[in-house]
């Protein structure tokens, strides 16, 4: 297994890698030495991520994919063993997501928008996880870290939840509900496959300085910032560092956890 948190052996699949926390995670894992399969719906965004990563020794594969397209998702993940230079999947970071339209009150939500948010943030994530775990179960574990009786890992999954996974939202119930569901998916997968050498955890970012937040109104941004005890928006790299740690040999007994990265918002 990887020698330190800063060095990650194996292959990492990262969705939403073209911006925000997905991009920051791609950079962090590239710097740590992982082979990368980067997924996004926009080719230009992926190209920009690769430019930001710069020159690295390990291979990077770019995949333009809409994760709501079931057949394309299945084909991608089941095709990883045949990818030259890759051959397996050790880490899956399911970062892709949408905010949807911010509306209040509850009854004003548009059902088409609600369905779209669910399709990306929950349904697609469930299929991604199923296929990722199926592949991980077929492969031999990475070598043990050598610490005592700790066995090798077949795979580590990190999902993207949210501060609202523990609370609610009077302005965007679809987003809140989808992130509640993502927390349940994470814990269910961890319970089902922990004994098979697979870990499944999640990060729960708060108010982050990402394109999702930048697209919101100034009034909405101001209200979010006022609620953060640390009095600033988080940086994507601060979440990427936690995801990297969750996949490292420093977190081999962390499974089914949802870790807040929110400037004490959850504690308020």
């Amino acid at each position: 297994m990887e020698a330190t948190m800063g060095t990650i052996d194996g292959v990492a699949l990262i969705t939403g890698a073209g911006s925000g926390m997905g991009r920051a995670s791609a950079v962090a894992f590239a710097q740590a030495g992982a082979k990368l399969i980067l997924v996004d719906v926009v080719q230009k965004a992926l190209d920009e991520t690769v430019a930001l990563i710069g020159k690295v020794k390990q291979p990077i594969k770019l995949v333009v994919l809409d994760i709501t397209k079931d057949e394309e998702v299945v084909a991608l993940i089941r095709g990883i063993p045949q990818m030259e230079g890759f051959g397996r999947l050790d880490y899956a970071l399911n970062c892709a997501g949408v905010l949807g339209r911010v509306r209040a009150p509850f009854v004003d939500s548009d059902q088409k928008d609600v369905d779209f948010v669910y399709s990306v943030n929950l349904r697609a994530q469930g299929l991604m996880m199923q296929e990722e775990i199926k592949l991980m179960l077929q492969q031999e574990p990475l070598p043990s870290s050598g610490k005592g009786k700790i066995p090798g890992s077949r795979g580590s999954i990190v999902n993207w939840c949210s501060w609202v996974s523990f609370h609610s939202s009077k302005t965007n119930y679809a987003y809140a509900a989808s992130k509640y569901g993502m927390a349940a998916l994470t814990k269910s997968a961890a319970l089902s496959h922990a004994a098979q050498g697979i870990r499944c955890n999640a990060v729960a970012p708060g108010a982050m300085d990402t394109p999702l937040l930048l697209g919101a109104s100034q009034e909405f941004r101001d209200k979010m910032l006022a609620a953060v005890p640390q009095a600033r928006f988080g940086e994507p790299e601060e979440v990427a560092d936690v995801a990297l740690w969750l996949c490292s040999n420093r977190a081999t007994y962390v499974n089914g956890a949802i870790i807040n990265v929110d400037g004490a918002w959850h504690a308020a």
Side-chain angles (χ1 to χ4, degrees):
M1 205 172 183
E2 60 277 13
T4 68
M5 181 184 131
T7 303
I8 296 285
D9 293 328
V11 177
L13 169 71
I14 304 175
T15 65
S19 65
M21 290 175 279
R23 173 175 287 175
S25 297
V27 173
F29 274 72
Q31 293 175 344
K35 300 175 182 179
L36 299 179
I37 302 171
L38 304 182
V39 179
D40 201 272
V41 292
V42 180
Q43 179 70 56
K44 182 180 178 181
L46 289 173
D47 293 339
E48 291 172 351
T49 296
V50 171
L52 189 62
I53 290 172
K55 188 176 181 180
V56 291
K57 294 181 179 179
Q58 69 273 23
I60 299 176
K61 183 176 180 60
L62 306 183
V63 180
V64 177
L65 174 70
D66 178 350
I67 64 169
T68 65
K69 306 296 185 183
D70 292 2
E71 292 182 359
E72 295 180 21
V73 167
V74 171
L76 167 63
I77 299 176
R78 294 185 184 181
I80 291 175
Q82 289 76 47
M83 289 183 185
E84 184 176 355
F86 294 89
R88 58 183 289 133
L89 177 62
D90 301 294
Y91 318 104
L93 281 69
N94 297 313
C95 184
V98 294
L99 181 62
R101 296 182 183 179
V102 177
R103 297 221 177 155
F106 179 91
V107 294
D108 289 340
S109 296
D110 179 80
Q111 192 57 47
K112 289 184 178 180
D113 183 61
V114 170
D115 290 343
F116 175 63
V117 172
Y118 286 169
S119 70
V120 177
N121 290 2
L122 190 57
R123 186 186 181 282
Q125 307 297 339
L127 178 61
M128 291 286 299
M129 288 172 61
Q130 285 182 319
E131 291 299 319
E132 290 158 358
I133 292 171
K134 286 177 183 178
L135 178 53
M136 290 173 176
L137 289 174
Q138 295 171 13
Q139 60 196 20
E140 291 299 316
L142 287 174
S144 171
S145 63
K147 295 185 293 185
K149 298 180 180 179
I150 298 175
S153 171
R154 274 200 169 86
S156 178
I157 295 174
V158 180
N159 292 322
W160 256 247
C161 289
S162 168
W163 176 84
V164 298
S165 296
F166 306 96
H167 299 275
S168 58
S169 172
K170 68 178 182 181
T171 60
N172 194 339
Y173 90 82
Y175 183 77
S178 70
K179 293 303 181 178
Y180 264 100
M182 200 65 208
L185 284 176
T186 300
K187 293 179 180 181
S188 296
L191 284 171
S192 295
H193 300 289
Q196 296 166 302
I198 293 174
R199 294 188 298 114
C200 189
N201 296 290
V203 290
M208 308 302 298
D209 193 9
T210 67
L212 281 179
L213 187 59
L214 289 172
S217 68
Q218 188 60 49
E219 180 184 5
F220 181 76
R221 286 169 56 85
D222 291 344
K223 285 182 179 179
M224 289 191 73
L225 184 59
V228 181
Q230 209 161 322
R232 68 172 176 86
F233 293 127
E235 295 297 325
E237 292 77 12
E238 293 177 294
V239 181
D241 285 344
V242 176
L244 182 64
W245 175 77
L246 284 170
C247 289
S248 77
N249 64 13
R250 302 296 180 88
T252 50
Y253 205 53
V254 181
N255 207 349
I258 301 175
I259 299 180
N260 300 297
V261 190
D262 62 6
W265 197 358
H266 179 66

